[in-house]
Amino acid sequence: MRRSALEGAGKAGRAGRAGSKGRPTRPTRPTCPPCPVLKVALTGGIATGKSYVLDRFRKRGVPCLDADDLAHGAMSAGTGATAAIAAHFGAGILAPDGSVDRAKLGPIVFSDPAARRALEAIVHPAVYRSLGAAVRAFELSGDSLMVADIPLLFETGAETQFDRVIATTCPPPLQLARLVERGLSETAARQRLAAQWPTDEKVARADFVIRTDGTFEETDRQVDRVLKTLKSSSSEPT
């Protein structure tokens, strides 16, 4: 009996889809390249309102990262960074759960520049690895804009990894007052201020500046203006 053209085509199609052992092969799915994301760093001196500003961006739907959160993760129990910190500073620096006790570590590193540099050499690479992985995830998700709060952006030379930089600022006496309100002694507060670049230097290098010495509403309006400009930049064809 003569086969119909349709029957022959069907068998030929099945044969074409079969592998070398007769099993059908899966069709290859096209891969979508990562979408470029506008990488924005948020920096500024300690107690200049970075956390508040980051939260404003987050509430406006912008994917956000906090380097301090990443540092907390790096110093949790069982990480390589925690093991290296314990080896350098002694096991007494660990909390009962095996994580780094930041309350014990803080007075040591903020009173001794060499100790602070040793800590940064351990923690910063881990933080930036986590940051890089998060940025790649944003790209794969199709996000066009992200903001990362990185207090020591300029001190670590990481500004070249970002497309734009925002600096928060307020007068130094207000920084000191805010730190004391957080429970630090004035001496401890001054040590933390001295451990970072002066805010004015960060402001001079930033693309955008947000002042936080006014009302919350005034700060929010600045965030809205910056965000509008960033969204315009992220939508420009590359």
Side-chain angles (χ1 to χ4, degrees):
M1 181 181 296
R2 186 177 180 181
R3 294 179 298 173
S4 69
L6 182 60
E7 181 184 359
K11 289 185 177 180
R14 288 194 295 274
R17 290 193 297 271
S20 59
K21 295 184 179 180
R23 293 192 299 269
T25 57
R26 292 184 179 181
T28 302
R29 293 183 179 179
T31 57
C32 298
C35 298
V37 58
L38 188 71
K39 298 181 287 294
V40 181
L42 172 65
T43 193
I46 189 171
T48 58
K50 295 184 301 299
S51 295
Y52 178 84
V53 169
L54 187 72
D55 186 62
R56 297 301 97 184
F57 279 111
R58 185 180 288 114
K59 281 181 165 49
R60 285 155 174 76
V62 178
C64 293
L65 294 169
D66 189 333
D68 197 47
D69 289 342
L70 299 179
H72 275 264
M75 292 189 285
S76 59
T79 67
T82 294
I85 291 169
H88 185 88
F89 293 95
I93 208 70
L94 299 180
D97 66 356
S99 65
V100 175
D101 189 330
R102 291 163 66 101
K104 291 180 181 177
L105 187 61
I108 297 172
V109 298
F110 285 111
S111 62
D112 183 349
R116 187 172 65 252
R117 288 192 295 271
L119 175 66
E120 291 171 349
I122 295 170
V123 175
H124 287 170
V127 168
Y128 282 113
R129 282 194 298 270
S130 297
L131 182 64
V135 170
R136 287 191 292 274
F138 289 145
E139 290 174 336
L140 292 172
S141 297
D143 293 304
S144 60
L145 168 67
M146 57 81 61
V147 176
D149 178 358
I150 306 179
L152 300 181
L153 178 77
F154 293 116
E155 290 89 335
T156 58
E159 69 273 15
T160 57
Q161 300 179 30
F162 293 86
D163 303 304
R164 303 288 189 277
V165 175
I166 304 168
T168 55
T169 184
C170 69
L174 182 54
Q175 285 180 267
L176 184 62
R178 287 173 175 174
L179 289 172
V180 171
E181 286 178 3
R182 295 178 187 178
L184 293 177
S185 68
E186 184 171 335
T187 298
R190 291 187 183 279
Q191 286 177 338
R192 281 159 172 74
L193 288 170
Q196 299 183 357
W197 281 17
T199 300
D200 287 348
E201 290 190 30
K202 299 186 179 189
V203 165
R205 292 170 177 249
D207 299 293
F208 304 96
V209 177
I210 295 178
R211 299 193 61 87
T212 63
D213 52 344
T215 65
F216 289 127
E217 291 76 14
E218 289 170 338
T219 300
D220 291 353
R221 285 194 291 271
Q222 294 175 76
V223 170
D224 287 334
R225 287 195 295 269
V226 171
L227 181 56
K228 182 178 180 180
T229 302
L230 291 174
K231 285 184 174 180
S232 176
S233 298
S234 66
S235 64
E236 291 176 356
T238 56

